[in-house]
Amino acid sequence: MTITIAAVVPTVPVTVSLTPLRGGIVVSQGLNFTATLTNDTANKGVTWTVTGPGTLSAQAATTATLTGSGAGTAVVTATSNADSTKSASATIGVTDLAGVLSYHNDLSRDGLNSQEYALTTANVNTNTFGKLFSCAADGAIYAQPLWVPNVNIGGGVHNVIVAATMRDSVYVFDADASPCVTYWHQTLIPAGETYGSFSDLGSKDIYPDIGILGTPVIDTTKQTIYLVSKTKTTAGVYHQRLHALNLVTGAEAASSPVELDNTIAANGNCEGGTTMTFDPQLHNQRPGLALVNGVVYIAWASHGDTGAFYHGWVVGYDAASLSRTTVFNDTLNSVSGMAYCRGGIWMSGGAPAADTDSNNVTSLYLITAHAAFDGIGSYRNSYLKLITPSLGVTDFFTPFNQSALDLDDQDVGSSGTALLINAANGKKLLVGGSKGEVMFVLDRTAMGGFNAADNVIQEFALTSHSFSTPAFWNNTLYYFGAQYGGQQAGQAFAFNGATGLFAIAPTAQTTSTFGFPGSSPSISATPTATNGILWALDSGAKGTTNGATTQAGPAILHAYDATNIATELWSSSQASGGRDQAGNAVKFTVPTVANGKVYVGSRGNDDTVGGGSVFGQIDVYGLLPN
């Protein structure tokens, strides 16, 4: 008798995994998915489904494509056909953000992207968020990187990043491709010239190269990038030029570039004569550019406080023809006892803010530094309201102690550009800080002028100096001040929309601290004010000061829960092995947040004291795909 025993073959369960598991796309763009199965012996593949604002196409046994059909969160699921109990899902944010086209996102300069669906307070952590790739450039990137979606470039439709360097180059990178893809690179230096040098300008505050410093502005309807370059001839003669570059090709517009030279002039006696002219070597194009009603506005200060006769200039150029439309000078009149004009418009790199009133009149708002003052044609330490396009002063605010502020180097104008907020009580507010550790809250319809006592909505003491532009979201002001030679936490101040007033004590502050000069934060959130994340860059290791340089080190990007910034979600210094380390820091740069990613400009591995081989870099952070 023969007994046959059949072997019992154990059933090995099917598993499903999905790539990518997380990420972001723009409405109408596609994202390819791959399902990987184990123990699918009959190769039955998966069934694809999607919930949320997306449609699936090109569905195959293990691949499919999601196309965003509206803003929100799409969940793609791959379910095994061999075992319907086994599946894998991916969560994808779909954004309809039109772009980050100028400094701090918009003309209110609030730093807010309220159309971010990929980044959440749950997925921004070291396990699921980190550095994705870097793009090398030829020089340090001080200007804020700008993000443009849906550009027909490189044989397809892509999202791009525009980066400008201190060696007068402009790069357009793919915003999503890893490794980095460069669509074009344009160096804006004529034959016989080179980029500028700190050694000609009496200050090491910006070191060592001087090129494109102010953040450009982009007009997507014209597919044009506007920016200002600074170069010098072999004989040491400096030039500044306004460029209008095609976003797709990098080509100059027909009327571009335009010389910014001594034909820019203003009538006034501050320099001792009757006319004052623009000096392209002396004047520093530090603030970001503003594009308002078809006019590009450019503002200047100086390099450090070099020279007595620099000015705060603002000049408008028609965006189509690049013809000069108007000129403003903030120190026209000499003042008894004052041996200088000055009045630089620095704003720590901030761009003029703008709004339009009920009479359809648009005004620019900006802040000046120490200078001559008479409240008529010379405006030191002042918030100015300039009507467009003529740039006449229609209102201003100057603190009662402006003379003492001038003597003590406590400029109002060190603060980033005015932040515009509309209160529920109908007040139209303008908010900004100062070196003098005061936060000012002004009424944009009646700013307060110059009086023996400040005629403002509110002012309250800060515990740090302002060298940054605050951010605003969900009735909260986020302010990251600075200590000279020390560290300072970021602070949040609650805003009461009904009264139009701020709590004068911080409602929260960060547990991590920031070196000088503090930070201009950016915010990502949804339109319904959920998943608010505050992004702040610590540039304390920038390695440069007005009189000397030290060895530069990495910038540190931080992410905080915006509802309570005492909760840090992630930083680029947390992951082991330096996985997320950024390039070496530069002063005043601002992180750009869009479509599930954060873009940071740096000086690459250049340490400012002779080490390094990469002199500029864009670091791209985002959700790790798996």
Side-chain angles (χ1 to χ4, degrees):
M1 176 177 164
T2 301
I3 299 174
T4 301
I5 301 175
V8 177
V9 179
T11 301
V12 181
V14 173
T15 65
V16 183
S17 59
L18 197 55
T19 301
L21 284 176
R22 58 191 74 88
I25 57 174
V26 174
V27 170
S28 79
Q29 291 184 355
L31 182 64
N32 297 325
F33 288 87
T34 299
T36 301
L37 297 99
T38 61
N39 306 313
D40 181 20
T41 56
N43 295 319
K44 292 184 177 182
V46 299
T47 296
W48 296 93
T49 57
V50 61
T51 60
T55 59
L56 290 169
S57 61
Q59 298 181 47
T62 57
T63 58
T65 299
L66 171 73
T67 300
S69 58
T73 303
V75 178
V76 175
T77 301
T79 302
S80 167
N81 291 324
D83 182 352
S84 61
T85 66
K86 301 297 189 295
S87 64
S89 295
T91 301
I92 305 298
V94 185
T95 185
D96 54 355
L97 181 66
V100 178
L101 308 177
S102 68
Y103 178 87
H104 231 209
N105 294 50
D106 56 33
L107 289 172
S108 292
R109 310 303 179 194
D110 57 14
L112 173 62
N113 167 13
S114 62
Q115 294 159 279
E116 177 55 55
Y117 296 91
L119 301 172
T120 71
T121 53
N123 63 25
V124 175
N125 58 64
T126 55
N127 294 323
T128 55
F129 184 89
K131 186 175 177 180
L132 301 177
F133 61 97
S134 296
C135 295
D138 64 0
I141 299 171
Y142 283 71
Q144 180 178 348
L146 301 178
W147 179 86
V148 189
N150 290 320
V151 179
N152 193 345
I153 193 171
V157 176
H158 304 278
N159 309 319
V160 300
I161 281 290
V162 177
T165 82
M166 293 296 276
R167 293 189 174 180
D168 288 304
S169 283
V170 181
Y171 293 79
V172 168
F173 300 117
D174 191 296
D176 306 303
S178 177
C180 181
V181 172
T182 304
Y183 290 117
W184 58 261
H185 164 215
Q186 178 80 290
T187 299
L188 306 176
I189 301 178
E193 297 184 24
T194 186
Y195 46 84
S197 170
F198 80 97
S199 59
D200 302 323
L201 302 168
S203 171
K204 290 187 176 181
D205 209 32
I206 300 169
Y207 178 92
D209 309 321
I210 310 294
I212 303 168
L213 182 58
T215 298
V217 65
I218 298 174
D219 185 342
T220 53
T221 63
K222 294 182 173 66
Q223 290 196 311
T224 301
I225 308 164
Y226 300 94
L227 56 95
V228 173
S229 64
K230 188 163 187 171
T231 60
K232 67 174 180 176
T233 67
T234 53
V237 177
Y238 270 80
H239 293 265
Q240 293 193 41
R241 298 177 177 94
L242 170 63
H243 297 263
L245 304 181
N246 185 283
L247 174 63
V248 177
T249 67
E252 298 267 13
S255 52
S256 175
V258 171
E259 283 277 351
L260 307 171
D261 55 21
N262 62 8
T263 62
I264 298 171
N267 295 326
N269 65 1
C270 192
E271 294 182 11
T274 59
T275 303
M276 299 169 294
T277 59
F278 176 82
D279 182 339
Q281 176 170 339
L282 181 65
H283 289 96
N284 181 15
Q285 204 291 288
R286 188 66 190 94
L289 277 60
L291 176 61
V292 180
N293 295 335
V295 178
V296 177
Y297 293 98
I298 311 167
W300 284 268
S302 70
H303 294 273
D305 279 326
T306 303
F309 296 125
Y310 66 82
H311 304 269
W313 294 93
V314 184
V315 185
Y317 287 84
D318 181 84
S321 67
L322 296 192
S323 60
R324 191 162 64 231
T325 61
T326 189
V327 174
F328 170 77
N329 181 307
D330 67 6
T331 44
L332 295 176
N333 303 330
S334 63
V335 176
S336 177
M338 289 287 173
Y340 49 78
C341 301
R342 298 182 174 173
I345 302 168
W346 274 284
M347 303 192 301
S348 298
D355 74 345
T356 302
D357 66 18
S358 58
N359 296 316
N360 206 33
V361 175
T362 301
S363 298
L364 295 184
Y365 301 87
L366 49 85
I367 318 173
T368 68
H370 61 87
F373 176 80
D374 62 7
I376 301 171
S378 292
Y379 298 93
R380 72 175 168 216
N381 287 323
S382 298
Y383 287 77
L384 300 182
K385 180 178 182 178
L386 307 181
I387 192 171
T388 64
S390 68
L391 297 184
V393 177
T394 58
D395 205 353
F396 73 98
F397 164 70
T398 307
F400 77 94
N401 60 339
Q402 53 82 21
S403 180
L405 295 175
D406 183 66
L407 292 172
D408 294 339
D409 191 26
Q410 297 295 305
D411 309 10
V412 170
S414 69
S415 182
T417 185
L419 177 71
L420 307 187
I421 300 170
N422 295 329
N425 64 359
K427 292 288 187 181
K428 296 183 180 296
L429 305 180
L430 178 157
V431 180
S434 67
K435 270 190 196 176
E437 301 185 320
V438 175
M439 186 70 74
F440 298 100
V441 184
L442 313 179
D443 182 347
R444 301 201 302 271
T445 66
M447 292 173 60
F450 175 59
N451 297 284
D454 291 347
N455 182 22
V456 297
I457 296 292
Q458 185 183 20
E459 58 183 56
F460 56 92
L462 301 168
T463 57
S464 58
H465 311 280
S466 178
F467 291 88
S468 59
T469 301
F472 188 80
W473 174 75
N474 202 24
N475 283 331
T476 305
L477 181 76
Y478 302 94
Y479 167 72
F480 283 63
Q483 300 292 341
Y484 299 135
Q487 296 284 311
Q488 172 67 39
Q491 297 174 318
F493 294 88
F495 177 67
N496 185 323
T499 64
L501 300 175
F502 287 89
I504 63 173
T507 50
Q509 64 181 31
T510 61
T511 54
S512 47
T513 58
F514 291 67
F516 183 85
S519 182
S520 292
S522 298
I523 298 170
S524 60
T526 67
T528 55
T530 60
N531 281 314
I533 301 174
L534 183 137
W535 303 88
L537 195 64
D538 183 357
S539 300
K542 63 191 184 305
T544 60
T545 63
N546 192 45
T549 58
T550 57
Q551 186 168 342
I556 303 173
L557 179 64
H558 295 265
Y560 303 94
D561 184 336
T563 63
N564 178 13
I565 61 172
T567 300
E568 184 163 10
L569 305 172
W570 172 92
S571 86
S572 58
S573 62
Q574 286 179 347
S576 61
R579 183 195 72 182
D580 297 334
Q581 181 173 296
N584 288 343
V586 295
K587 193 175 184 179
F588 299 143
T589 193
V590 180
T592 294
V593 189
N595 191 34
K597 296 183 177 67
V598 183
Y599 303 88
V600 173
S602 76
R603 61 173 74 251
N605 62 15
D606 172 32
D607 64 5
T608 73
V609 292
S613 57
V614 178
F615 297 96
Q617 187 169 294
I618 294 288
D619 294 308
V620 183
Y621 295 87
L623 296 172
L624 304 175
N626 287 93

